[in-house]
Amino acid sequence: MAPDDPADPGMYDPGLSYTTVAQTNLSRLDAEAGELYVGGYPIEELAANASYEEAVSLLFEGRVPTADELQSFCDELADLRTIPGPVRELLRAVADSTDPMDALRMGLAAADLHTDPTTAAKRVAAVVPTIVATHWRLGRDEPVVEPDADLGHVANYLWMLTGERPTSERVDALETCCVTLLEHGLDASSFAARTAASTNADPISAATAAVGTIKGDRHAGRFADAFALLESARGADDIQRVLRDRTNDGLVPGFGHPVYQTRDPRAAVLSATLEQTAPETAAETIETIDRLDEAAQDVFEPEAEGQEQRPEVTVEFPATAVLDSLALPPALFAPTVAVARAGGWAAHILEEYSEPTLVRPSAAYVGEIKSDWTAVEDRYTAGDRLIARPPQSASLEPLTQTLDVLSEPNRLELLLALYDSQEPLAYSDLLAASTIDDKGQLNYHLRTLRGPFVADTDAGYRLTDTGERLIDAVLENDRLLDDDLSDDK
Amino acid sequence: MAPDDPADPGMYDPGLSYTTVAQTNLSRLDAEAGELYVGGYPIEELAANASYEEAVSLLFEGRVPTADELQSFCDELADLRTIPGPVRELLRAVADSTDPMDALRMGLAAADLHTDPTTAAKRVAAVVPTIVATHWRLGRDEPVVEPDADLGHVANYLWMLTGERPTSERVDALETCCVTLLEHGLDASSFAARTAASTNADPISAATAAVGTIKGDRHAGRFADAFALLESARGADDIQRVLRDRTNDGLVPGFGHPVYQTRDPRAAVLSATLEQTAPETAAETIETIDRLDEAAQDVFEPEAEGQEQRPEVTVEFPATAVLDSLALPPALFAPTVAVARAGGWAAHILEEYSEPTLVRPSAAYVGEIKSDWTAVEDRYTAGDRLIARPPQSASLEPLTQTLDVLSEPNRLELLLALYDSQEPLAYSDLLAASTIDDKGQLNYHLRTLRGPFVADTDAGYRLTDTGERLIDAVLENDRLLDDDLSDDK
């Protein structure tokens, strides 16, 4: 579908929401139907059945593993969990000053193993939980818990976070959560990973790009905000008001996934999980989400012209409710999304390597073209403008002879008004722009100025080149302005 | 120019070469004319006149600074050069095992200051040279050289690398090089930075994404390769052969910038610099580049259908020749490109913040849709295929009664050939696929199989469902295969 002519300027699509940039075997998002298939399976089926390792293996291999293959894959991931001593020392040094997502970026960036791409991609999935948990415990002055190769990926994450053997119920719930969030097409983070991989950069570099992208508060950084909104909506009488208070530039956490035109299909999956993890409060939470949804239909304007849809509920409310029910604090929401998504990043990186296409979009230049370089010692500012020091030529010699013209404040005022205007000014504009309110006065001053300083053209009054250069010179020398216009000296 | 209908699937543009994703005040690339404007100025003029700090300030502010503003900007950058102790310790720990670009990713990822975005963006430009130089010296067991606030940005980089006060000639040449490479629109690295910034991630995270992207050997990682090609071409008799030896998947370092349809305009700027830094060899180097260019016209096929242009010389040959003439080793070429580009990344990040548009492209799913989840204990592989354990139903009971049919190796061979084929096979195909070379034999076996196991359709022979399930079962049990087909047991 690319234009036939390479010189064609192509599409202007700043968010790339109209652009397909890859073919993928990893997932399919149906924006209109609100359906998600990961590794070919409906997300409902995958989340209900697959362990995290099984789902990651599915993405890596294009099919579910056999029992033997799964065991090997689990063993390999478990072997890749440990972080090197210097990385742990770095995490220790920044434990008190650094938030978890920054620590994850630091730790992952430093986790390079210099192995082959597939192992490095597995390393990404394996090491992210260790970095998050290590930094978390260091920041709370708790002893670091080493990864335990006897535990599965998700169980081990909970173990490293808490230092306690997690119940199978907790593991199952978090596993469902992680599989649900594992892969979601080209969200900004996965796309950043593929962009890096498209240059043939290594998987650790590409995944670090993804971590640096997902942390933003328009991405996984929103999860904690969504939870805060959910909490403040719980039991609130005026839920529309709660929503309005949270609306900022039309963006509200918990609403408006950039792809789905319906409710995010992952929301239902995790609402069902919530009924397992918080049986006593789940119904109320789900009702609160529905009330938020209802209120949103009144509060939100359609996002943009041409869009009929109002923002719909995303996965963020139920996902954060599940994480909260598992006693994960909001500071760990975004890192846990990264833990879940790391396997998806790894799969995207390997998929990009299989058929790399260097990503190289264009930007439309909207600035000026200049060609009058002025050496720094010849540059001065006048108000907000930068001007070059005028050439020291004869053209400025009349300056002294014309000082008396300028010594009349009204005349200087007129010249400055013309100088500030980008376009010629009509007589009425000049009258309005100056403090002169007598037309006779204005006519007199204009007559004095016209010729050398001001031109009277069909389009209106404008400064002559000499007039412009004169004002340049005047503005450069605040002294002149002070002498003539200011009283406080 | 975006389609009016949001449901429109839009463009398929994997490299985004037809897509404009931003409006920018930073630079303008004219692909056809082969012109580059940075901050509004022709690159020739900017590179010849601006210091690095001056050019970065131009990008940040949209205009060149006055002398006072420039001094403040230089002071601010100089204040932001130092790397924290823990980061230095990390660089020390990995000094021997890590290449310079990986070290830069690690160091930059850990350089967070938690300050306001503009300061953090300046921090990016300021700290990259320090990380590169610190790691470089640690890797060579040389004492780390602290940044010197009395030196300009580029002079200080040379100082930290070498521990010697650089001559003004070396500084000028490297400064020209850095200004020339400072900003180049949405190369993959700057685009990765903007993608991260579009989620409102911080400048250190976004610039780390850029570092992780630029290191690839289709990006700045190519510079050292280009230099190696230039060196092997120098004085070579058969320069076409030298080029052919370096052609890999149609990609040759030094050629084929993804944007320009002409010679990269930066090449001329740096060829002129080379005449300053290597007056005795510059002419020969430039002649070698021209000979490479000439040879390329014969060696290269046009890159893609519809493209008339053959790949043209990029900035890589002259840039690396300049860096070499300044005694920078090839291992420092990519890091020095990052040093140069860091100011551009910082400016892109700030520009993205000024009007953020979350980047969210699509991927087209090309895999299968499945809905038959099989528990892991019921999965088996047959050759390359994964199959579910067949249901323990009546449909398999005939297996024992049909073992005598299968005990004939030729018949099993025919069934396997049909099983492996995605499509029905013609009689002649079956004859060719089996070791049977007697048509009477083939007819006999086919008669035996036809009906329950093989169907004879208009399109050819194919397995019946029962036949397919039977072979599934057979393949699952290697034992059966061993018994029937293998002799070594």
Side-chain angles (χ1 to χ4, degrees), chain A residues 1-3 5-29 32 37 39-42 45-46 49-50 54 58 62-67 69-70 86-87 90 93 97-99 102 105-106 109-112 114 184-188 191-192 195-196 198-202 204-206 208-209 212-219 257-259 261 306-307 356-374 376-377 379-381 384-386, chain B residues 1-29 32 37 39-42 45-46 49-50 54 58 62-67 69-70 86-87 90 93 97-99 102 105-106 109-112 114 184-188 191-192 195-196 198-202 204-206 208-209 212-219 257-259 261 306-307 356-373 376-377 379-381 384-386:
Chain A
M1 281 191 273
D5 175 13
D8 189 308
M11 284 273 289
Y12 178 62
D13 187 8
L16 294 179
S17 48
Y18 301 105
T19 306
T20 300
V21 301
Q23 297 193 324
T24 187
N25 280 292
L26 303 181
S27 65
R28 174 172 184 269
L29 282 71
E32 287 180 49
Y37 297 82
Y41 293 96
E45 201 165 345
L46 193 72
N49 289 293
E54 202 174 0
L58 166 64
R63 63 163 174 79
V64 285
T66 64
E69 290 167 343
L70 180 57
V87 176
L90 175 67
S97 59
T98 303
D99 88 18
D102 288 320
R105 180 192 65 241
M106 296 179 185
D112 208 344
H114 294 281
H184 206 230
L186 293 181
D187 67 284
F191 181 53
T195 298
S198 83
T199 77
N200 213 20
D202 69 288
I204 297 288
S205 292
T208 304
T213 303
I214 206 170
K215 69 164 277 192
D217 59 19
R218 295 159 154 255
H219 210 319
H257 193 279
V259 172
Q261 293 169 31
Q307 282 195 306
T357 309
L358 183 67
V359 175
R360 215 313 172 184
S362 300
Y365 184 65
V366 294
E368 290 171 51
I369 294 293
K370 306 156 190 165
S371 60
D372 53 341
W373 183 263
T374 311
V376 62
E377 57 274 17
R379 291 177 212 145
Y380 293 86
T381 46
D384 283 348
R385 301 188 198 208
L386 180 89
Chain B
M1 281 188 272
D4 291 334
D5 175 14
D8 189 307
M11 283 273 290
Y12 178 60
D13 187 8
L16 294 179
S17 48
Y18 301 104
T19 306
T20 300
V21 301
Q23 298 194 323
T24 187
N25 280 291
L26 303 181
S27 64
R28 174 171 185 269
L29 281 71
E32 288 180 49
Y37 297 82
Y41 293 96
E45 202 165 345
L46 193 73
N49 289 294
E54 203 174 359
L58 166 63
R63 65 162 174 78
V64 286
T66 64
E69 290 166 343
L70 180 56
V87 176
L90 175 68
S97 60
T98 303
D99 89 16
D102 288 320
R105 180 192 65 240
M106 296 178 185
D112 209 344
H114 294 280
H184 207 230
L186 293 181
D187 67 284
F191 180 54
T195 297
S198 83
T199 76
N200 213 19
D202 69 288
I204 296 288
S205 292
T208 303
T213 303
I214 206 170
K215 68 163 279 192
D217 58 19
R218 296 160 153 255
H219 210 319
H257 193 280
V259 172
Q261 293 169 31
Q307 280 195 311
T357 309
L358 184 67
V359 174
R360 216 309 172 186
S362 299
Y365 184 63
V366 293
E368 292 171 50
I369 294 294
K370 305 156 192 166
S371 60
D372 52 339
W373 183 263
V376 63
E377 56 275 18
R379 292 177 212 145
Y380 293 86
T381 46
D384 284 349
R385 304 186 196 209
L386 180 90

Side-chain angles (χ1 to χ4, degrees), chain A residues 126-138:
Chain A
V127 83
V128 165
T130 316
I131 298 165
V132 170
T134 301
H135 174 262
W136 182 250
R137 288 185 70 85
L138 288 168

Side-chain angles (χ1 to χ4, degrees), chain A residues 10-320:
Chain A
M11 284 273 289
Y12 178 62
D13 187 8
L16 294 179
S17 48
Y18 301 105
T19 306
T20 300
V21 301
Q23 297 193 324
T24 187
N25 280 292
L26 303 181
S27 65
R28 174 172 184 269
L29 282 71
D30 187 326
E32 287 180 49
E35 288 173 352
L36 170 64
Y37 297 82
V38 171
Y41 293 96
I43 189 61
E44 296 78 10
E45 201 165 345
L46 193 72
N49 289 293
S51 71
Y52 185 78
E53 290 95 323
E54 202 174 0
V56 174
S57 171
L58 166 64
L59 294 184
F60 272 45
E61 304 296 335
R63 63 163 174 79
V64 285
T66 64
D68 286 350
E69 290 167 343
L70 180 57
Q71 190 57 54
S72 308
F73 192 80
C74 290
D75 291 345
E76 224 182 328
L77 284 193
D79 283 347
L80 292 166
R81 284 176 186 160
T82 313
I83 53 176
V87 176
R88 185 189 287 192
E89 287 319 302
L90 175 67
L91 295 176
R92 189 186 304 279
V94 301
D96 294 331
S97 59
T98 303
D99 88 18
M101 287 305 286
D102 288 320
L104 176 57
R105 180 192 65 241
M106 296 179 185
L108 185 58
D112 208 344
L113 277 190
H114 294 281
T115 49
D116 76 290
T118 307
T119 309
K122 290 173 182 164
R123 170 78 167 156
V124 167
V127 83
V128 165
T130 316
I131 298 165
V132 170
T134 301
H135 174 262
W136 182 250
R137 288 185 70 85
L138 288 168
R140 294 154 68 94
D141 288 325
E142 289 169 338
V144 171
V145 177
E146 296 293 334
D148 183 339
D150 289 338
L151 295 175
H153 188 82
V154 170
N156 177 60
Y157 175 50
L158 284 171
W159 161 246
M160 293 187 299
L161 276 177
T162 63
E164 290 166 17
R165 294 318 237 197
T167 64
S168 65
E169 288 76 18
R170 292 190 76 202
V171 174
D172 287 349
L174 188 58
E175 192 123 38
T176 301
C177 205
C178 286
V179 172
T180 304
L181 299 174
L182 164 64
E183 159 55 20
H184 206 230
L186 293 181
D187 67 284
S189 72
S190 299
F191 181 53
R194 286 189 85 124
T195 298
S198 83
T199 77
N200 213 20
D202 69 288
I204 297 288
S205 292
T208 304
V211 166
T213 303
I214 206 170
K215 69 164 277 192
D217 59 19
R218 295 159 154 255
H219 210 319
R222 264 171 51 130
F223 275 64
D225 296 338
F227 184 68
L229 173 55
L230 179 61
E231 286 302 290
S232 55
R234 202 184 287 277
D237 290 331
D238 189 349
I239 207 157
Q240 292 196 10
R241 186 186 178 130
V242 173
L243 257 183
R244 274 200 194 87
D245 288 349
R246 287 270 170 178
T247 306
N248 182 8
D249 292 336
L251 292 172
V252 184
F255 286 94
H257 193 279
V259 172
Y260 297 116
Q261 293 169 31
T262 64
R263 188 180 279 211
D264 186 331
R266 300 169 298 174
V269 176
L270 295 183
S271 292
T273 306
L274 188 64
E275 285 167 359
Q276 312 283 314
T277 57
E280 300 191 356
T281 57
E284 190 215 328
T285 304
I286 292 166
E287 194 209 322
T288 304
I289 296 172
D290 288 339
R291 287 178 63 218
L292 278 164
D293 192 18
E294 207 174 303
Q297 303 313 311
D298 294 323
V299 169
F300 293 134
E301 297 301 314
E303 280 193 325
E305 234 175 298
Q307 282 195 306
E308 290 140 44
Q309 294 291 139
R310 285 158 202 267
E312 297 272 354
V313 164
T314 70
V315 75
E316 292 158 12
F317 291 133
T320 54

Side-chain angles (χ1 to χ4, degrees), chain B residues 336-411:
Chain B
T336 303
V337 175
V339 164
R341 190 59 56 86
W345 294 332
H348 273 291
I349 292 163
L350 293 178
E351 193 172 72
E352 181 68 30
Y353 290 153
S354 72
E355 200 171 346
T357 309
L358 184 67
V359 174
R360 216 309 172 186
S362 299
Y365 184 63
V366 293
E368 292 171 50
I369 294 294
K370 305 156 192 166
S371 60
D372 52 339
W373 183 263
T374 311
V376 63
E377 56 275 18
D378 293 331
R379 292 177 212 145
Y380 293 86
T381 46
D384 284 349
R385 304 186 196 209
L386 180 90
I387 52 184
R389 181 199 287 278
Q392 304 300 314
S393 72
S395 64
L396 275 183
E397 285 170 12
L399 182 61
T400 46
Q401 287 105 57
T402 57
L403 274 181
D404 57 338
V405 175
L406 293 176
S407 64
E408 211 301 309
N410 281 327
R411 287 202 283 271

Side-chain angles (χ1 to χ4, degrees), chain B residues 6 33 112 163 188 274 299 409:
Chain B
D112 209 344
L274 189 64
V299 170

Side-chain angles (χ1 to χ4, degrees), chain B residues 87-393:
Chain B
V87 176
R88 186 189 287 192
E89 287 320 302
L90 175 68
L91 295 177
R92 188 186 304 278
V94 301
D96 293 331
S97 60
T98 303
D99 89 16
M101 287 304 287
D102 288 320
L104 175 56
R105 180 192 65 240
M106 296 178 185
L108 185 58
D112 209 344
L113 276 189
H114 294 280
T115 49
D116 77 290
T118 306
T119 309
K122 289 173 182 164
R123 169 78 167 156
V124 167
V127 83
V128 166
T130 314
I131 298 165
V132 169
T134 301
H135 174 262
W136 182 250
R137 289 184 69 85
L138 288 168
R140 295 155 67 94
D141 288 324
E142 290 170 338
V144 171
V145 177
E146 296 293 335
D148 183 339
D150 288 339
L151 295 176
H153 188 81
V154 170
N156 176 61
Y157 175 49
L158 285 171
W159 159 245
M160 292 187 299
L161 276 177
T162 63
E164 289 166 18
R165 294 317 237 197
T167 63
S168 66
E169 289 75 19
R170 293 190 75 203
V171 174
D172 286 351
L174 189 58
E175 192 124 36
T176 301
C177 206
C178 287
V179 172
T180 304
L181 299 174
L182 164 64
E183 157 56 19
H184 207 230
L186 293 181
D187 67 284
S189 71
S190 299
F191 180 54
R194 285 188 86 125
T195 297
S198 83
T199 76
N200 213 19
D202 69 288
I204 296 288
S205 292
T208 303
V211 166
T213 303
I214 206 170
K215 68 163 279 192
D217 58 19
R218 296 160 153 255
H219 210 319
R222 263 173 51 129
F223 275 64
D225 297 338
F227 184 68
L229 173 56
L230 180 61
E231 286 301 290
S232 56
R234 201 184 287 278
D237 289 334
D238 189 350
I239 207 157
Q240 291 195 11
R241 185 185 179 132
V242 173
L243 256 184
R244 276 200 193 89
D245 289 348
R246 288 270 170 178
T247 305
N248 183 8
D249 292 337
L251 291 173
V252 184
F255 286 94
H257 193 280
V259 172
Y260 296 116
Q261 293 169 31
T262 63
R263 189 179 280 211
D264 186 330
R266 299 168 299 173
V269 176
L270 294 183
S271 293
T273 306
L274 189 64
E275 285 167 0
Q276 314 280 314
T277 57
E280 300 191 358
T281 57
E284 191 215 326
T285 304
I286 292 166
E287 194 209 322
T288 304
I289 296 172
D290 287 339
R291 287 177 62 217
L292 278 164
D293 192 18
E294 209 174 301
Q297 303 313 310
D298 295 323
V299 170
F300 292 133
E301 298 300 315
E303 281 193 324
E305 233 174 298
Q307 280 195 311
E308 289 140 43
Q309 293 291 139
R310 285 159 201 269
E312 298 271 354
V313 164
T314 70
V315 74
E316 292 159 12
F317 291 133
T320 54
V322 169
L323 296 177
D324 175 65
S325 72
L326 297 172
L328 293 183
L332 281 174
F333 290 174
T336 303
V337 175
V339 164
R341 190 59 56 86
W345 294 332
H348 273 291
I349 292 163
L350 293 178
E351 193 172 72
E352 181 68 30
Y353 290 153
S354 72
E355 200 171 346
T357 309
L358 184 67
V359 174
R360 216 309 172 186
S362 299
Y365 184 63
V366 293
E368 292 171 50
I369 294 294
K370 305 156 192 166
S371 60
D372 52 339
W373 183 263
T374 311
V376 63
E377 56 275 18
D378 293 331
R379 292 177 212 145
Y380 293 86
T381 46
D384 284 349
R385 304 186 196 209
L386 180 90
I387 52 184
R389 181 199 287 278
Q392 304 300 314
S393 72

